[in-house]
Amino acid sequence: VDPMLGSNEDFEDLCAAARARGIRVMLDGVFNHQGFVSRYFNGDGFYPELGAHQSKASPYYPWYHFNRWPDQYDAWWGIYSLPAVNESQEDYVDYIIEGEDSIVRRWLRAGADGWRLDVADELPDAFIEKLHRAAREVKPEAVIIGEVWEDGSNKIAYGVRRRHLLGGHLDGLMNYPFRNALLAWLLGGDAGQFRESMETIRENYPPAAFYSAMNSLGTHDTPRILTLLGVGGDCGGESKQWRAEHRLSPEERALGVRRLKLAALVQYAFPGSPTTYYGDEAGMEGFEDPFNRRTYPWGEEDAELIAWYRALGKARRELAPLRRGALCYTAAEGDVLAFTRTWEEDTVLCACNAGRECARVTLPWSAAEIGGLLCFPTDPDTGEAVVELPPLTGYLLRKSPGRE
């Protein structure tokens, strides 16, 4: 659905069907720039009404800043096909936010539950504040998530310290720092650095923002996670043609799958909202855009990964600690990362070994207190349980409820 193209009579039914299955719909709002061929700019003259590119008399002309009309104008990052919008122009603010039938209000009333704001750093604070207020007026529980690639608590963008997490602006952020730290560890880094990076985010973010951060391993703006983990990087030194044609070898794919299973285990066990880019769970490959946008492999999904993601989703749904629990690290050094999530009397531990050698993790419980979820520890009860972690292996273990 492209909300800016007008009404969609099927959208309410889509949202109702999703909600019946426990799914909420969040729309992606790209309010900083538009397309050259959008009905507002109408660069190719496709639409019958006048766009800003056809005439200065167009009602949309004030939305853009022309250095020399019609072919020289501000564009997002200088890309001519993406003309930038003046987010402070009154008519534009009314159309997107303030009007009774504005884009933000209309689609929330139609059933959407929130908005993800593209390039939030490039939207004025006043614009985001108005958008947040309008969304809450229509739907008090609406969620506004911003695309921010760094620590959003102290971000300075275009010379302005942003107010992303100071209330009344964004409810949460895309957690690219989580992705960066996790990939660095999986590709040979130190688990201690992952903990350090995430503890910095936890210290800087309000608790609600930390526990609702959008934790993704891949997006349309990044190479496919399986490809990254299989080849060990983005291969930026290779030609674009090479990256377009490359497919993982059987050895690279096997390594990528094992690393991806570890990455997804941490993602689903860690505080925040695990977010999966379509097809990552099915084993899709590809480097950067557009190679990461191939069609879903219907009928050819990776059965091993599908089963793993289903098990993780089931665990996340059924175990309250994985959704709400407090975070405590048990081990974070070298190849080994282990942490617990505790909610009330229930505790779940995630223990992972990203290395090529076996590792051991000492647990804060006896073996008799542990109920296996995805895997069982193998050592007998010797007081404190010691779990053997084979190479590139992760366990999700639960302390049996009610046992002291």
Side-chain angles (χ1 to χ4, degrees), residues 38 41 65 96 244 293 305:
S38 72
F41 201 77
H65 180 264
I96 300 296
R293 295 181 185 247
L305 284 175

Side-chain angles (χ1 to χ4, degrees), residues 186-404:
L186 288 169
L187 295 177
D190 192 327
Q193 187 57 53
F194 172 87
R195 177 179 60 186
E196 181 71 19
S197 298
M198 291 301 94
E199 287 298 272
T200 298
I201 293 293
R202 177 155 61 155
E203 291 168 358
N204 290 350
Y205 282 22
F210 178 74
Y211 279 89
S212 65
M214 186 174 170
N215 295 346
S216 60
L217 300 177
T219 70
H220 65 284
D221 289 320
T222 67
R224 283 283 175 182
I225 183 63
L226 182 62
T227 295
L228 273 180
L229 295 176
V231 302
D234 62 10
C235 294
E238 302 288 349
S239 70
K240 191 167 185 176
Q241 185 68 27
W242 183 91
R243 296 196 303 276
E245 298 175 352
H246 183 77
R247 298 296 184 273
L248 296 175
S249 68
E251 294 77 18
E252 289 173 334
R253 187 172 180 90
L255 175 61
V257 167
R258 296 191 70 177
R259 284 174 167 168
L260 178 51
K261 290 174 70 174
L262 277 183
L265 175 57
V266 174
Q267 179 191 26
Y268 276 71
F270 204 75
S273 299
T275 308
T276 302
Y277 184 44
Y278 84 97
D280 281 349
E281 80 288 1
M284 287 184 65
E285 300 180 23
F287 285 99
E288 77 282 5
D289 186 358
F291 316 126
N292 57 8
R293 295 181 185 247
R294 298 185 178 105
T295 55
Y296 187 86
W298 296 110
E300 299 179 1
E301 299 92 336
D302 187 301
E304 179 182 356
L305 284 175
I306 290 286
W308 185 257
Y309 271 89
R310 284 177 175 165
L312 293 175
K314 181 175 186 289
R316 180 90 182 192
R317 182 177 65 251
E318 295 182 353
L319 297 175
L322 297 187
R323 300 190 307 274
R324 305 178 181 179
L327 170 69
C328 181
Y329 290 92
T330 300
E333 184 177 0
D335 296 326
V336 177
L337 175 66
F339 56 88
T340 59
R341 302 287 307 280
T342 300
W343 176 254
E344 296 179 344
E345 301 301 318
D346 200 358
T347 298
V348 175
L349 178 137
C350 173
C352 298
N353 174 16
R356 304 301 183 96
E357 305 292 335
C358 286
R360 294 163 62 89
V361 174
T362 300
L363 306 183
W365 319 314
S366 69
E369 293 176 307
I370 301 172
L373 185 61
L374 296 183
C375 297
F376 287 92
T378 56
D379 283 2
D381 184 5
T382 57
E384 285 187 321
V386 177
V387 176
E388 295 284 350
L389 291 172
L392 295 170
T393 298
Y395 291 159
L396 196 60
L397 306 172
R398 183 185 188 189
K399 182 178 181 181
S400 298
R403 296 186 182 181
E404 298 298 332

Side-chain angles (χ1 to χ4, degrees), residues 5 64 90 103 118 131 151 194 220 235 251 260 275 282 303:
L5 293 182
Y64 309 92
E90 185 174 353
I103 295 297
D118 189 69
L131 190 152
D151 183 334
F194 172 87
H220 65 284
C235 294
E251 294 77 18
L260 178 51
T275 308

Side-chain angles (χ1 to χ4, degrees), residues 49-63:
E49 62 267 28
L50 293 176
H53 194 260
Q54 274 78 50
S55 172
K56 293 182 180 181
S58 167
Y60 308 120
Y61 176 79
W63 290 11

